[in-house]
Amino acid sequence: VQLQASGGGLVQAGGSLRLSCAPSGRSLSNYIMAWFRQAPGKEREFLAAIQWSGLTSYQDSVKGRFTISKAYVLNTVYLQMNSLKPEDTAVYYCAAAPLSSSWPPHGYDYWGQGTQVTVSS
């Protein structure tokens, strides 16, 4: 499945962005969807995941600031990011794992191309 991530950009500290990800040709309901990010010189890190049922999981550092959600009608998953900080600057990726995966999944089979988020101070 191909994942198309979008919505990145340049924002000032304290601002908000909403990222979108849509699995092309497949229904969102067939996958556990997640968001990751990778900053320069750092490892890729998990941010949030969402089950078909709506169950979510978050990395502790983004709880309360980031919200993952889904819109089945639009076949799109979102990552609403509020109160952004310069340290949130990274390339953000969406990923998908089969519904049969453990929760939260230990690995993801499909990855989007990434969208750049830059937060200026």
Side-chain angles (χ1 to χ4, degrees):
V1 60
Q2 290 186 332
L3 302 175
Q4 301 292 331
S6 61
L10 174 64
V11 64
Q12 288 188 333
S16 299
L17 279 176
R18 188 178 75 165
L19 306 182
S20 302
C21 178
S24 61
R26 301 292 178 91
S27 172
L28 192 61
S29 60
N30 293 328
Y31 302 97
I32 296 170
M33 301 297 295
W35 288 96
F36 289 75
R37 69 185 177 190
Q38 187 167 21
K42 295 187 177 181
E43 293 186 355
R44 186 170 57 196
E45 64 174 342
F46 168 80
L47 298 176
I50 187 165
Q51 271 264 21
W52 173 81
S53 63
L55 182 65
T56 57
S57 176
Y58 291 92
Q59 184 203 116
D60 287 345
S61 67
V62 302
K63 282 181 180 177
R65 294 194 303 126
F66 292 7
T67 302
I68 190 170
S69 62
K70 53 180 172 51
Y72 284 122
V73 173
L74 299 176
N75 204 41
T76 300
V77 64
Y78 302 100
L79 184 69
Q80 177 67 42
M81 305 185 294
N82 299 326
S83 302
L84 284 163
K85 307 172 183 179
E87 50 265 42
D88 293 318
T89 295
V91 178
Y92 284 68
Y93 299 90
C94 63
L99 283 181
S100 58
S101 304
S102 58
W103 178 256
H106 297 299
Y108 288 81
D109 296 338
Y110 307 100
W111 293 86
Q113 81 285 7
T115 185
Q116 176 71 45
V117 171
T118 303
V119 184
S120 62
S121 57

